[in-house]
Amino acid sequence: MADISRRSLLVGNLTAPLARRTLPEETEPGLREYAARTGLLYGAAAAWPALRDDEHYAQSFARECNILVPENVLKMGLVHPEPDAYRFEPPDFMADFCQRHDMRMRGHTLVWHQQIWPWLKTHVNAQNAQKHLEQHIHTVAGRYRGRMHSWDVVNEAIHLPDGREDGLRITPFLELLGPGYIELAFRAAREADPNAKLTYNDYGLDYDTPQQEAKRQAVLRLLRRLKERDVPVHAFGMQAHLDWSEFRHFKPETLQRFFREIASLGLEIYITELDVSDRDLPDDVAERDEAIAGVYETYLKAALGEPAVKAVLTWGLTDRYTWLAGRRKRASGTPVRVLPLDREYRRKPAWRAIRDALRSAPARTA
Ligand code: XIL
């Protein structure tokens, strides 16, 4: 047996049976096929090193996805851990993986206030911040020039609780460079990769509540301002981290109205980080899976009604690897069931919900 397959049996949950050597057999095509039929992309965030070491995980991506986004390895602090050192091996592996499996790739993310350069505090100041940021963007986005479907250039730049009139989050780059850091990042990204769709990505915009409405308005103001200044921004990324217990606040019309406004600015829309927390649902698996599937289906049917929505990515593919396992632990300690595939790579009701939403989406023209 080749080394790699032995290793893959050892990763993941050691209490799970180690017997499975092939993926569950399926008679139905993968989600990528349903997406492609309507001119859409479906994909997921890929964890490292699982994509390299767990062959069933890799096979599931190949089967289900026609787009992939690295969950962490392109973030500032991971890809650029020292002022003069980059770590490209993980994202290079993912880019090659995408090429081998005829998948597109998204870049996530060039500028964010989290998982930031560990050397920022010791090396970066108001005098050199622009140079460092431009160098980072030129180097990272430049390396994948021509190979990225899209790039999240700036992530989560709006945060109303920070109290600024323009709604911008107070981040290291805002403090070092002022609000112009956003424009600067998009222009540098355009120089580095003129073909990628440059995206502004954010969260907390899904529900019909006063807070989320205020944030939607702030995002729209930001996007309008960028367009007015001819900044190269091509798309909006809707993270869509949902929670079953909050979903009563969801109104399809509200989401659609927001998407219409974004589309009217000439932007594409991607659902970039969709997942649905099951934290407050009962343990019963069948009941829980149905409830989570219902959220996926309702949300996606509303979202895909907007023709500007061109891609759907879930934030992970299998319950074996999901940030919600740590972030939204269940009180009873039972493992979360929040993604399309279960821990053994079997398709769940959430998978069928996504399939149905993709299948009933109006065909995309471009
Ligand atoms: C999360 C990853 O899933 C975790 O593994 C990591 O520890 C923290 O970041 N919004 C984003 C993503 O834009 O980058 C975040 O990803 C989830 C929230």
Side-chain angles (χ1 to χ4, degrees):
M1 193 180 0
D3 222 355
I4 181 146
S5 55
R6 227 182 310 123
R7 185 170 54 215
S8 72
L9 293 173
L10 294 174
V11 298
N13 182 359
L14 291 172
T15 60
L18 292 179
R20 197 194 299 291
R21 279 159 198 233
T22 54
L23 274 189
E25 264 187 51
E26 302 290 353
T27 48
E28 268 196 79
L31 294 176
R32 63 181 291 166
E33 170 65 26
Y34 291 106
R37 286 177 195 171
T38 29
L40 281 161
L41 296 166
Y42 167 75
W48 181 263
L51 192 72
R52 182 193 61 195
D53 295 345
D54 176 343
E55 68 183 298
H56 297 152
Y57 186 59
Q59 286 165 8
S60 297
F61 268 87
R63 183 192 264 180
E64 303 290 356
C65 301
N66 54 10
I67 187 164
L68 171 154
V69 60
E71 182 174 358
N72 286 303
V73 297
L74 279 172
K75 291 173 180 171
M76 303 185 95
L78 284 96
V79 73
H80 195 175
E82 293 168 44
D84 301 314
Y86 288 84
R87 183 164 185 247
F88 282 124
E89 175 209 331
D92 281 359
F93 178 94
M94 292 192 183
D96 292 343
F97 181 88
C98 287
Q99 211 156 354
R100 283 202 303 282
H101 296 287
D102 194 23
M103 302 163 69
R104 313 299 306 274
M105 182 170 176
R106 307 195 71 235
H108 176 81
T109 172
L110 294 169
V111 186
W112 192 27
H113 62 285
Q114 290 182 28
Q115 294 173 285
I116 206 162
W117 302 321
W119 45 274
L120 182 121
K121 283 216 170 71
T122 49
H123 288 72
V124 185
N125 55 49
Q127 281 67 52
N128 65 20
Q130 175 168 353
K131 181 199 81 183
H132 278 298
L133 188 58
E134 286 177 340
Q135 246 168 32
H136 173 85
I137 293 173
H138 287 151
T139 307
V140 177
R143 186 172 182 92
Y144 303 100
R145 185 186 179 104
R147 298 176 77 184
M148 287 290 187
H149 163 270
S150 51
W151 258 111
D152 289 334
V153 178
V154 176
N155 194 29
E156 303 182 353
I158 298 283
H159 192 55
L160 299 183
D162 284 356
R164 287 175 55 99
E165 203 172 336
D166 57 10
L168 291 183
R169 184 189 295 272
I170 299 174
T171 71
F173 289 109
L174 183 96
E175 290 184 313
L176 288 161
L177 294 167
Y181 84 92
I182 297 179
E183 172 164 349
L184 190 150
F186 276 94
R187 294 195 191 283
R190 148 89 129 217
E191 288 157 11
D193 188 350
N195 293 118
K197 300 279 192 189
L198 304 184
T199 307
Y200 174 71
N201 194 51
D202 214 331
Y203 71 96
L205 302 161
D206 311 288
Y207 301 131
D208 190 41
T209 62
Q211 290 92 323
Q212 298 214 343
E213 181 57 27
K215 186 163 181 176
R216 282 190 288 275
Q217 293 309 321
V219 166
L220 283 167
R221 279 196 298 276
L222 169 64
L223 294 173
R224 260 185 231 121
R225 208 153 61 226
L226 294 175
K227 291 297 282 187
E228 275 161 21
R229 297 178 54 81
D230 259 330
V231 176
V233 51
H234 311 117
F236 169 69
M238 184 80 156
Q239 290 190 10
H241 290 292
L242 306 178
D243 193 313
W244 173 83
S245 66
E246 290 167 358
F247 203 64
R248 63 181 183 283
H249 298 299
F250 179 72
K251 278 217 183 72
E253 315 82 78
T254 305
L255 183 77
Q256 284 171 333
R257 201 177 324 120
F258 178 52
F259 281 2
R260 264 294 75 210
E261 297 246 26
I262 290 177
S264 73
L265 298 174
L267 301 173
E268 295 198 335
I269 300 169
Y270 315 132
I271 310 295
T272 51
E273 305 187 11
L274 178 60
D275 55 16
V276 185
S277 167
D278 66 349
R279 190 182 53 188
D280 302 310
L281 277 162
D283 275 339
D284 182 80
V285 165
E287 190 182 334
R288 191 153 36 120
D289 282 1
E290 281 313 314
I292 293 301
V295 174
Y296 274 105
E297 187 156 355
T298 304
Y299 189 85
L300 283 180
K301 283 198 166 151
L304 293 172
E306 167 52 58
V309 175
K310 307 291 187 193
V312 175
L313 292 98
T314 47
W315 201 241
L317 186 57
T318 148
D319 296 331
R320 189 177 280 268
Y321 309 106
T322 161
W323 76 313
L324 292 178
R327 168 123 180 156
R328 295 238 191 276
K329 271 197 186 46
R330 298 171 51 71
S332 64
T334 48
V336 300
R337 299 181 62 86
V338 294
L339 286 168
L341 307 180
D342 72 8
R343 300 176 61 87
E344 304 304 322
Y345 309 93
R346 288 176 300 234
R347 293 169 173 175
K348 297 192 315 191
W351 183 94
R352 290 185 277 281
I354 298 172
R355 174 202 61 193
D356 290 347
L358 293 170
R359 204 155 48 177
S360 61
R364 268 51 186 168
T365 43

